[in-house]
Amino acid sequence: MSVPVLTIDGPSGAGKGTISRLLAKQLGWHYLDSGSIYRSLAIAVLKQAVALDDVDAIVNVAKAMTLGFECADELVVKLNGEDITAQLGLEKTGNTASIIATLPEIRAVLLQKQQDFKQPPGLVADGRDMGTVVFPDAAHKVFLTASSIKRAERRYKQLKEKGIDANLIGLTKDIEERDRRDRERATAPLSMASGALFIDSSDMTIDAVITQVLDFIR
Ligand code: C5P
């Protein structure tokens, strides 16, 4: 039986996580937050103090790590049995993940871990290369973006709500730097898959984006 896959790719902070989780819930499908796999590896690498240019050592960490995902109200992620959910959203984790993600050897090791999420009755997969590399045969593909200023403002609000000190100019710079790295890397760069629905969510509500995607896939 073929399992339907909806891929949602786009730059950081475009709202992919929120939108994908809500869509998975409405459709009754599984959810893959592929960024959390790269982030988990970043946490493992930082914990073990592996140098970010030691590709062989990072490959070994990637091969050895076991990840557990529990979908409660929020996604709970366990790395080798330890709950790392609180560290996943840190700027340091995201920036390290985006450096590691430029390495083709690492992307190759993580490919199968992501494809294993494709299970009946369906899958919503969010990331950078879901529609182009990981699930090229997906039935439905979306490219979700927003201006870098809007994305930095959303991130700023999220951090403030959590009581974390943040600086809007610094966040905008980080986001633009991460976008550049994700778009310019040689392997699986962030790009729109052919046939994907393009959505710029800068001035849209979450509900409006969800409605547009549901209309598209039905
Ligand atoms: O989506 P998120 O911000 O959690 O991803 C963290 C980093 O992991 C991204 O900046 C990107 O470099 C990398 N990533 C990737 N391919 C994916 C998902 C994430 O390269 N499919």
Side-chain angles (χ1 to χ4, degrees), residues 11 13-14 144-151 154 179 199-202:
L144 181 65
T145 189
S147 70
S148 55
I149 304 289
K150 274 279 158 97
R151 289 184 282 131
R154 289 175 188 164
D179 283 357
I199 302 179
D200 182 336
S201 73
S202 300

Side-chain angles (χ1 to χ4, degrees), residues 158-204:
Q158 273 174 357
L159 290 171
K160 282 279 169 191
E161 278 166 8
K162 286 186 189 159
I164 300 171
D165 204 25
N167 166 313
L168 191 55
I169 296 174
L171 283 175
T172 311
K173 232 178 96 218
D174 270 5
I175 278 188
E176 286 173 351
E177 171 65 17
R178 186 131 40 110
D179 283 357
R180 193 192 51 73
R181 218 167 19 228
D182 288 348
R183 285 180 199 279
E184 291 180 2
R185 69 179 174 225
T187 310
L190 170 65
S191 67
M192 186 165 124
S194 82
L197 170 72
F198 177 88
I199 302 179
D200 182 336
S201 73
S202 300
D203 298 309
M204 288 173 80

Side-chain angles (χ1 to χ4, degrees), residues 34-35 38-39 97-98 101 107 127-130 178 182 185:
S34 62
Y38 287 90
R39 284 172 184 266
S98 112
R107 304 197 73 87
R128 304 295 185 291
D129 59 344
M130 297 296 99
R178 186 131 40 110
D182 288 348
R185 69 179 174 225

Side-chain angles (χ1 to χ4, degrees), residues 22-36:
L22 289 168
L23 281 165
K25 210 167 171 186
Q26 287 206 21
L27 294 163
W29 292 0
H30 298 282
Y31 169 52
L32 164 63
D33 170 2
S34 62
S36 72

Side-chain angles (χ1 to χ4, degrees), residues 2-38:
S2 85
V3 178
V5 177
L6 164 63
T7 60
I8 307 207
D9 288 309
S12 358
K16 299 184 306 283
T18 309
I19 303 284
S20 304
R21 244 191 315 274
L22 289 168
L23 281 165
K25 210 167 171 186
Q26 287 206 21
L27 294 163
W29 292 0
H30 298 282
Y31 169 52
L32 164 63
D33 170 2
S34 62
S36 72
I37 296 184
Y38 287 90

